[in-house]
Amino acid sequence: NPYAGLVSHLRATWLSGKTRPMEYRVAQLEALGRFLDEKKQDILEATASDMGKPSFEAYFTEILLCKNELNNTLNNLCHWMKDEHVDKNLVTQLDSAFIRKDPYGVVLIIAPWNNPIHLFLVPLIGAIAAGNCVIVKPSEMTKNTERLVAEMLSCYLDNDCFAVVTAGVQETTRLLENKFDYIFFTGTASVGRIIMTAAAKHLTPVTLELGGKNPCYVSDTCDVQNVARRVAWGRFFNAGQTCIAPDYVLCSVEMQEKLMPALREAITEFFGSNPRESPDFGRIMGDKQFRRIRALLCSGRVAIGGQTDEKERYIAPTVLADVLPSDPAMQEEIFGPILPIVVVANMDEAIDFINARPRPLAIYAFSCDSKVVNQVLERTSSGGFCGNDTLMHLTLTSLPVGGIGTSGLGKYHGKFTFDTFTQHRGCLHRNMGLEALNALRYPPYSQQKLGLLTATFEIKRKGTCTLL
């Protein structure tokens, strides 16, 4: 196997204990901070070359949010690493019971192309913070960003502990044949199944950050202009190539009629009368993706946009009206600048529509009535939820990001990333003396011993609690 030597080298380094001291972890994390500062312009240029990403969006997602993750981790690492002492029973009162935060070992991070820096760097921050050795495989689809990561990251990180592998599908298949202690993958559900199958051969734990069709319910009681701006921003950010973007809108016929002019106004405000000329609107990443997304334009009727240019891989910010559940745009994750609107009679029908489909990565609900937003939250299931806005829950390091079912497995961001890459090791350190206290559990058994054992080990139920 062409990667066996690399994996063995990193495993030997990990077994040496080099990555365990807090000082070492901090030094490597601070080096990542220097990478973001010193290579900021290179990152902006690479993402612009790969997918026409506006510099504002690239700075926000690929640099600012990554630095927030980094600084939050550095600010809290000392606390996160500490042993967590836990409750004890009567028999173990004189002993030490705690949870030790151990690194898994050698972990693999496989990143996608849509946010090519952010989606490898955020899990990498947590993996380093947890004390692991790491192999990172950036997406081969974004060639300029891949080259930047491969050439530059080794100048900042310890090459005995961290490595970047550039690989296509065949090479990645060979890479996955090696035994890793944890695999973190971000991408599509179809590839996620392949990753999980490969991991199963070694019983390797995985986190799968996938995607899906994120519904956005808009009630009849809302500020239409605000809804239009927030939904348009979330849908057309990064030309719609965002895993947590609102994938389709559910609303009444009346609200659809109100939303159309408001969405048209928001799109014009954001990108001008001709979005193709806007420096703030990106392009589709590749030709295959472009053709796939363009084919979805036959759904419903094009109410706004619809223009395309294959040479530029340009698809205008588009809104589709009167889309049916059977239409092509409702059969797959769009992952592009198209927003279908599906008409429902009311909130109950919208909730039934959502619950009849695989659980999404995010659900959005808009209403001036907080009871409506809470109803959607309480009666549905998803990886995340955001009321009266889109995407913004992703900006909080205090909230976990992750899917459920076909939208993913596991979670990360902030301490959740540290915990993902950490083996929470249950530990009990007993006193060598006081052997008389142990006599109750030793044979020969008796009813008297069982009664005393029950009295010392039993956990009794306390009074019932009430959710306020």
Side-chain angles (χ1 to χ4, degrees):
N1 186 286
Y3 303 104
L6 175 62
V7 176
S8 296
H9 178 73
L10 265 62
R11 190 170 303 283
T13 304
W14 180 73
L15 289 171
S16 73
K18 185 176 185 179
T19 62
R20 286 181 176 261
M22 188 183 77
E23 294 76 14
Y24 178 84
R25 305 183 198 189
V26 167
Q28 296 301 301
L29 291 171
E30 288 177 339
L32 283 181
R34 291 195 298 275
F35 166 73
L36 286 172
D37 289 335
E38 295 171 9
K39 300 302 174 184
K40 179 180 77 171
Q41 192 58 37
D42 295 309
I43 291 170
L44 298 180
E45 291 174 2
T47 53
S49 298
D50 285 329
M51 52 197 305
K53 182 172 284 196
S55 61
F56 183 99
E57 293 183 1
Y59 180 82
F60 180 55
T61 55
E62 314 288 9
I63 296 173
L64 178 60
L65 292 184
C66 289
K67 291 188 75 171
N68 286 350
E69 287 282 342
L70 189 60
N71 291 334
N72 178 62
T73 300
L74 287 167
N75 290 341
N76 293 283
L77 184 57
C78 179
H79 173 68
W80 294 348
M81 286 179 62
K82 286 181 179 178
D83 290 344
E84 183 180 334
H85 291 274
V86 299
D87 293 339
K88 296 174 286 188
N89 55 31
L90 189 60
V91 175
T92 57
Q93 283 302 305
L94 300 178
D95 306 321
S96 179
F98 56 94
I99 299 170
R100 171 64 52 87
K101 314 294 177 61
D102 275 351
Y104 270 105
V106 179
V107 306
L108 172 64
I109 296 171
I110 301 177
W113 52 261
N114 59 314
N115 286 298
I117 297 293
H118 179 103
L119 292 175
F120 93 80
L121 201 54
V122 172
L124 177 60
I125 289 167
I128 292 174
N132 298 281
C133 288
V134 188
I135 292 178
V136 173
K137 196 212 84 66
S139 174
E140 72 278 14
M141 306 294 284
T142 44
K143 292 293 183 186
N144 294 288
T145 310
E146 180 193 44
R147 187 183 308 113
L148 173 66
V149 172
E151 293 177 357
M152 292 294 105
L153 209 61
S154 61
C155 301
Y156 291 86
L157 296 181
D158 183 345
N159 295 330
D160 286 330
C161 302
F162 310 103
V164 177
V165 169
T166 57
V169 174
Q170 291 183 336
E171 295 88 353
T172 303
T173 302
R174 299 303 308 277
L175 178 63
L176 287 165
E177 292 172 1
N178 294 276
K179 175 175 170 48
F180 292 96
D181 300 301
Y182 203 98
I183 298 175
F184 189 105
F185 169 78
T186 306
T188 64
S190 59
V191 179
R193 291 184 177 92
I194 296 171
I195 300 295
M196 202 167 185
T197 301
K201 294 177 182 177
H202 300 290
L203 295 179
T204 300
V206 299
T207 288
L208 303 176
E209 294 298 329
L210 309 177
K213 297 188 71 62
N214 306 314
C216 177
Y217 173 63
V218 180
S219 78
D220 288 337
T221 56
C222 64
D223 185 316
V224 178
Q225 274 66 41
N226 286 352
V227 171
R229 288 164 59 86
R230 296 176 192 187
V231 170
W233 177 73
R235 173 70 277 183
F236 303 124
F237 188 91
N238 200 27
Q241 298 164 115
T242 307
C243 59
I244 59 166
D247 193 271
Y248 62 93
V249 167
L250 295 168
C251 66
S252 66
V253 174
E254 295 78 14
M255 179 50 63
Q256 179 180 246
E257 294 306 309
K258 293 177 183 177
L259 267 179
M260 282 305 171
L263 284 168
R264 186 175 291 106
E265 182 181 336
I267 291 169
T268 303
E269 178 188 349
F270 294 168
F271 309 114
S273 58
N274 185 3
R276 183 185 307 192
E277 299 175 353
S278 171
D280 301 321
F281 186 70
R283 297 296 185 264
I284 305 304
M285 190 281 305
D287 295 334
K288 183 180 177 181
Q289 284 291 325
F290 173 86
R291 290 190 291 270
R292 181 191 64 80
I293 298 166
R294 183 177 59 183
L296 304 179
L297 291 171
C298 64
S299 305
R301 63 178 173 88
V302 175
I304 301 171
Q307 299 84 6
T308 66
D309 185 326
E310 186 166 6
K311 185 178 180 181
E312 284 190 29
R313 297 197 304 273
Y314 167 78
I315 297 178
T318 299
V319 180
L320 303 176
D322 302 323
V323 175
L324 300 176
S326 57
D327 283 338
M330 294 303 294
Q331 304 310 307
E332 61 180 270
E333 183 180 6
I334 292 172
F335 219 68
I338 298 175
L339 180 66
I341 298 182
V342 179
V343 169
V344 292
N346 50 44
M347 179 191 69
D348 291 333
E349 188 173 317
I351 290 173
D352 290 342
F353 189 95
I354 294 168
N355 289 338
R357 284 154 180 78
R359 288 181 281 187
L361 191 56
I363 290 176
Y364 301 103
F366 286 85
S367 179
C368 290
D369 185 350
S370 60
K371 291 181 181 178
V372 172
V373 175
N374 288 331
Q375 278 285 299
V376 177
L377 171 61
E378 291 172 8
R379 294 169 58 188
T380 60
S381 177
S382 62
F385 179 88
C386 186
N388 290 334
D389 211 338
T390 61
L391 309 190
M392 288 301 292
H393 60 297
L394 187 73
T395 66
L396 297 178
T397 58
S398 53
L399 288 178
V401 172
I404 180 172
T406 56
S407 61
L409 171 69
K411 54 188 178 293
Y412 74 125
H413 273 213
K415 186 176 185 294
F416 300 100
T417 319
F418 175 85
D419 288 339
T420 286
F421 287 105
T422 296
Q423 162 63 13
H424 289 68
R425 190 178 185 185
C427 303
L428 176 64
H429 187 176
R430 300 216 65 198
N431 192 306
M432 182 58 80
L434 304 173
E435 184 64 5
L437 295 176
N438 296 320
L440 294 176
R441 71 177 200 251
Y442 296 151
Y445 301 132
S446 68
Q447 283 300 118
Q448 182 183 18
K449 280 187 176 182
L450 183 61
L452 291 170
L453 193 75
T454 301
T456 52
F457 279 93
E458 184 180 26
I459 297 176
K460 294 184 177 179
R461 185 180 178 186
K462 298 178 181 178
T464 58
C465 64
T466 303
L467 292 175
L468 299 177

